């Protein structure tokens, strides 16, 4: 595939990981966020990952330098005018995402793919705020992006086949495996994963076992690489709560009710690894 330019909107954990895999696949990448400090934090994470790959002799230092040279910081959505693809990985909030997509409508050329990395929000509703809903698609990467093989591709109601194929081919060129799903709350990944995490929190809340015991059961008993409470801390408890609320609201079924303990931790500012405290504490 001809090497192109992508703008990744949001330089957080997901956005910086997405920017890294695009740059490593030879794309020119604008890494966009509201403030330079946020972009710098994202770039620092990328540099650290690449340094690890060099140390492990999976990447030469020349290749590392070439990857870094393909990353351009951006604080203006106007840079979307020079891109063939947009991947939005901003905060998981419909209002924020709608505002970004509305602005992109006025900036990006008509044939640009407008992909969102949303983990559960409806693609069709987001697409409806643009003047080209057929170009809007979900391109849901998993965390940590450089390691995880899956990209869940989510078609909105009117996403065109051409856009779907472009995103499918792009995922393959990034070394990922794409799986197609339809636009329903939580798609497949989080519809299955989050109720399991939420149930693990209920198990803790009801005193069935300690957090360590719950995680150990799922790691050793089910061969999961991380226990569900460790994984929740890794994903971010605010994200877990937001996704459970999206499922609860979207299906109206009480089986998706977020555990009060999850809500309490989020309200306390215990968001997991990123704040140094969640179910566990981190240095
Ligand atoms: N960024 C980049 N690379 C990372 C990384 C990160 N954050 N974390 C680990 N790695 C790399 C390591 O550098 C290491 O690479 P090498 O083999 O080259 O040294 C490799 O991954 C393995 O790491 P470790 O040996 O340190 O640890 P591990 O074997 O326990 O693996 C893990 C770490 C890959 C994170 C593993 O624990 C795992 O798969 N956990 C589950 C992750 C998961 O379920 N992700 C999905 C979350 S849900 C989601 O993302 C969707 C959503 O919408 C919420």
């Amino acid at each position: 595939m001809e090497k192109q330019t992508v703008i990744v909107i949001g330089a957080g954990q997901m956005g910086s990981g997405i920017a890294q895999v695009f740059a490593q696949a030879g794309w020119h990448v604008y890494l966009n966020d509201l403030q330079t400090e946020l972009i710098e934090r994202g770039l620092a994470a990328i540099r650290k990952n690449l340094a690890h790959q060099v140390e492990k002799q999976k990447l030469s230092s020349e290749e590392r330098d070439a990857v870094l040279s393909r990353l351009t910081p951006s604080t203006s959505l106007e840079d979307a005018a020079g891109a063939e693809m947009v991947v939005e990985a901003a905060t998981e909030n419909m209002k924020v995402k709608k505002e970004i997509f509305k602005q992109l409508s006025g900036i990006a050329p008509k044939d640009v793919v407008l992909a969102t990395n949303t983990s559960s929000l409806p693609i069709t509703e987001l697409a409806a705020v643009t003047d080209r809903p057929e170009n809007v698609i979900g391109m849901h990467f998993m965390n940590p992006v450089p390691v995880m093989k899956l990209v869940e591709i989510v078609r909105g109601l009117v996403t065109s086949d051409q856009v779907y194929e472009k995103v499918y081919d792009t995922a393959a060129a990034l070394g990922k495996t794409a799986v197609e799903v339809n636009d329903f709350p939580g798609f497949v990944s989080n519809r299955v994963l989050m109720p399991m995490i939420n149930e693990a929190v209920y198990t803790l809340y009801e005193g069935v076992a300690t957090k360590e015991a719950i995680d150990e059961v799922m790691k050793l008993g089910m061969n999961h690489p991380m226990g569900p409470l460790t994984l929740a801390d890794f994903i971010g408890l605010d994200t877990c709560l937001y996704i459970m609320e999206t499922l609860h609201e979207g299906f109206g079924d009480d089986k998706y009710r977020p555990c009060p303990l999850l809500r309490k931790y989020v309200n306390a500012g215990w968001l997991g690894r990123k704040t140094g405290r969640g179910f566990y504490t981190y240095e």
Side-chain angles (χ1 to χ4, degrees):
M1 192 186 281
E2 191 190 330
K3 295 307 174 201
Q4 298 177 327
T5 300
V6 62
I7 176 164
V8 179
I9 301 168
Q13 194 168 237
M14 295 304 286
S16 65
I18 294 167
Q20 180 186 326
V21 295
F22 269 100
Q24 287 203 259
W27 286 60
H28 296 283
V29 183
Y30 285 111
L31 182 55
N32 175 281
D33 211 314
L34 297 172
Q35 292 158 8
T36 334
E37 305 83 75
L38 299 174
I39 303 168
E40 196 36 58
R41 207 181 301 161
L43 288 172
I46 296 174
R47 279 190 216 103
K48 191 171 158 213
N49 283 341
L50 296 179
H52 179 76
Q53 290 180 23
V54 171
E55 209 175 287
K56 286 254 170 160
Q57 299 187 335
K58 291 180 176 172
L59 192 74
S60 70
S61 35
E62 292 76 29
E63 284 163 338
R64 174 202 57 202
D65 294 344
V67 172
L68 290 172
S69 74
R70 287 195 283 271
L71 287 154
T72 308
S74 154
T75 48
S76 167
L77 283 185
E78 295 289 335
D79 288 326
E84 282 80 29
M85 186 179 281
V86 174
V87 182
E88 172 275 320
T91 187
E92 196 64 1
N93 176 304
M94 195 51 150
K95 211 168 141 220
V96 172
K97 288 186 192 289
K98 278 186 173 171
E99 188 47 45
I100 291 171
F101 274 74
K102 235 185 258 168
Q103 285 188 45
L104 287 171
S105 268
I107 300 168
K110 281 280 184 230
D111 56 345
V112 169
V113 171
L114 302 179
T116 170
N117 179 56
T118 181
S119 50
S120 63
L121 293 170
I123 306 302
T124 307
E125 189 181 332
L126 195 54
V129 304
T130 72
D131 58 356
R132 60 198 84 166
E134 65 284 359
N135 285 14
V136 179
I137 191 161
M139 191 177 191
H140 182 208
F141 290 83
M142 303 294 128
N143 187 16
V145 180
V147 179
M148 305 301 279
K149 288 284 166 229
L150 177 71
V151 175
E152 198 176 32
I153 301 186
V154 192
R155 279 181 187 261
L157 194 59
V158 296
T159 306
S160 73
D161 288 343
Q162 204 187 353
V163 165
Y164 172 78
E165 275 149 29
K166 169 122 200 225
V167 170
Y168 185 94
D169 290 346
T170 301
L174 299 179
K176 306 292 183 195
T177 300
V179 174
E180 180 186 355
V181 311
N182 284 321
D183 188 18
F184 283 92
F187 316 133
V188 171
S189 55
N190 281 318
R191 182 162 175 183
V192 176
L193 175 67
M194 280 306 156
M196 182 199 70
I197 288 179
N198 195 45
E199 201 58 33
V201 185
Y202 268 114
T203 312
L204 179 67
Y205 179 60
E206 291 168 9
V208 179
T210 63
K211 55 183 184 292
E212 291 85 1
I214 295 163
D215 276 348
E216 206 71 343
V217 166
M218 298 306 287
K219 265 174 70 176
L220 301 183
M222 283 72 188
N223 236 358
H224 290 193
M226 286 173 165
L229 301 173
T230 304
L231 182 57
D233 276 357
F234 181 69
I235 293 167
L237 302 193
D238 50 343
T239 303
C240 294
L241 177 61
Y242 194 77
I243 295 171
M244 283 312 296
E245 283 171 338
T246 303
L247 291 171
H248 198 201
E249 196 188 310
F251 293 114
D253 190 321
D254 236 29
K255 73 180 177 186
Y256 299 110
R257 186 166 66 93
C259 178
L261 187 63
L262 180 61
R263 198 179 290 286
K264 191 175 198 172
Y265 280 12
V266 171
N267 288 341
W270 295 7
L271 307 184
R273 263 179 209 239
K274 61 186 167 191
T275 57
R277 181 151 199 183
F279 293 104
Y280 298 90
T281 47
Y282 304 87
E283 307 256 297

